[in-house]
Amino acid sequence: MKKVALALGGGGARGLAHLKFLEFFDQNNIPVSRISGTSIGAVIGALYASGKSSMLIQDDLHNHVVLKDDRKRDFVKKISRLVVWLSKFRFDLKETRTVYPHKFLEFLLKDVEARTFEELQIPLCIIATDFWTGEEVVIDSGPLLPAIMASMAIPGIFKPVKHQGRILVDGSLSNCVPYTHLLEGEEVSIAMDVAPDRQSGGQNMPKFFDASQGMFELLIDKLAQQQLERCQPDIYIRPGIRKVKIMEFDKIDSVYEQAEAVIPELKNQCTLKGFSLPQ
């Protein structure tokens, strides 16, 4: 049976699209044999590699994220869970104006029995970036939590992480869609790029945070395009998610909708690569 080696790219809230792609693989009994992940892709990759199905991860998210179409009683049910979630963040605004998500990630991974890479059901590698050298850092052994924290340490939002003798920040700065680590092997390599399509804002002046994150996204998108020119995976899927900012997790339904719009393309590409899928 053909198997998939899957790369899950970074992109903040837009990375929730990965759950719909994983749902496609689950529904069609396509085995995922290896995963590489950057930033939010590392978080979702770790959850999935631990044995949690895409639907179970989605259910957990819906129980904690307030959606725009939630009814009042839905909001009331969720508010206690939200308080617990927020209490897990440790803020360090006085000195660095950033957030340290250690307790939050522990809470998110509380149902995951694996605490190290070696305990995962699916081999996983996580990408981070050395702050001082700019080098890509591949982590595939040892404790999971510091590796995930490092991979998602978006500059200006989350604190850098000291791990393996390095100061590490978001993996997107060196390899936003890390399929390069999956090209050797017999599996079909599939890359999921959740970077946004750029939209013209005309003469509108961006706010400070939007400008900072916009420049970050421009940089990593250029890096991703350069990587594509050098080498390509067997399948490259990019939904071009629009109108969802990096921290807008409340727009989960919009992310899902835009991800589902490219599922027919993913299905077609998988069929061309020899997967037997129902019509």
Side-chain angles (χ1 to χ4, degrees), residues 60-77:
D60 287 345
L61 282 172
H62 277 271
N63 286 332
H64 292 87
V65 177
V66 174
L67 307 174
K68 289 190 174 180
D69 59 352
D70 273 348
R71 292 169 295 183
K72 183 176 180 180
R73 66 186 181 193
D74 295 323
F75 177 80
V76 171
K77 287 180 181 178

Side-chain angles (χ1 to χ4, degrees), residues 102-169:
H102 185 277
K103 293 296 183 182
F104 174 74
L105 276 176
E106 282 186 342
F107 178 70
L108 186 65
L109 300 170
K110 64 180 174 56
D111 294 328
V112 174
E113 293 184 2
R115 286 293 177 264
T116 66
F117 284 85
E118 290 77 11
E119 295 173 309
L120 294 171
Q121 295 183 21
I122 300 173
L124 171 72
C125 73
I126 286 176
I127 309 303
T129 303
D130 187 303
F131 175 79
W132 293 113
T133 68
E135 294 176 317
E136 177 185 358
V137 178
V138 181
I139 309 172
D140 58 7
S141 62
L144 270 173
L145 192 61
I148 298 172
M149 287 172 56
S151 186
M152 63 177 282
I154 302 171
I157 298 179
F158 298 124
K159 290 185 67 173
V161 174
K162 188 174 183 179
H163 183 54
Q164 295 184 344
R166 296 174 181 252
I167 303 301
L168 303 177
V169 292

Side-chain angles (χ1 to χ4, degrees), residues 20-247:
K20 286 300 176 182
F21 303 137
L22 290 170
E23 182 181 335
F24 167 82
F25 296 127
D26 287 345
Q27 290 178 341
N28 290 280
N29 297 315
I30 297 176
V32 177
S33 60
R34 288 187 292 153
I35 300 173
S36 61
T38 295
S39 200
I40 186 68
V43 178
I44 293 175
L47 290 169
Y48 192 77
S50 73
K52 298 187 78 169
S53 70
S54 172
M55 289 306 301
L56 183 56
I57 301 170
Q58 290 180 56
D59 288 343
D60 287 345
L61 282 172
H62 277 271
N63 286 332
H64 292 87
V65 177
V66 174
L67 307 174
K68 289 190 174 180
D69 59 352
D70 273 348
R71 292 169 295 183
K72 183 176 180 180
R73 66 186 181 193
D74 295 323
F75 177 80
V76 171
K77 287 180 181 178
K78 291 181 179 181
I79 193 66
S80 62
R81 302 189 189 108
L82 285 168
V83 170
V84 173
W85 266 48
L86 290 173
S87 70
K88 299 301 178 180
F89 278 101
R90 193 177 81 201
F91 294 87
D92 189 16
L93 302 182
K94 184 177 179 180
E95 294 185 7
T96 62
R97 298 183 183 276
T98 54
V99 180
Y100 192 72
H102 185 277
K103 293 296 183 182
F104 174 74
L105 276 176
E106 282 186 342
F107 178 70
L108 186 65
L109 300 170
K110 64 180 174 56
D111 294 328
V112 174
E113 293 184 2
R115 286 293 177 264
T116 66
F117 284 85
E118 290 77 11
E119 295 173 309
L120 294 171
Q121 295 183 21
I122 300 173
L124 171 72
C125 73
I126 286 176
I127 309 303
T129 303
D130 187 303
F131 175 79
W132 293 113
T133 68
E135 294 176 317
E136 177 185 358
V137 178
V138 181
I139 309 172
D140 58 7
S141 62
L144 270 173
L145 192 61
I148 298 172
M149 287 172 56
S151 186
M152 63 177 282
I154 302 171
I157 298 179
F158 298 124
K159 290 185 67 173
V161 174
K162 188 174 183 179
H163 183 54
Q164 295 184 344
R166 296 174 181 252
I167 303 301
L168 303 177
V169 292
D170 196 295
S172 296
L173 289 166
S174 55
N175 196 342
C176 186
V177 191
Y179 59 84
T180 49
H181 303 284
L182 305 174
L183 299 181
E184 295 182 1
E186 298 181 354
E187 308 104 321
V188 175
S189 58
I190 302 181
M192 301 300 183
D193 183 352
V194 293
D197 282 347
R198 305 299 300 178
Q199 295 176 273
S200 174
Q203 298 297 313
N204 294 330
M205 185 66 68
K207 296 179 181 179
F208 177 79
F209 181 81
D210 293 338
S212 298
Q213 290 306 308
M215 290 299 294
F216 175 72
E217 291 169 350
L218 278 171
L219 170 63
I220 62 178
D221 199 34
K222 291 291 186 182
L223 293 173
Q225 292 304 314
Q226 290 174 5
Q227 180 169 275
L228 269 176
E229 292 173 2
R230 294 194 301 270
C231 61
Q232 297 183 4
D234 295 314
I235 298 174
Y236 196 93
I237 299 295
R238 175 171 170 152
I241 296 170
R242 294 189 173 195
K243 297 183 178 180
V244 179
K245 297 178 183 179
I246 200 166
M247 297 300 288

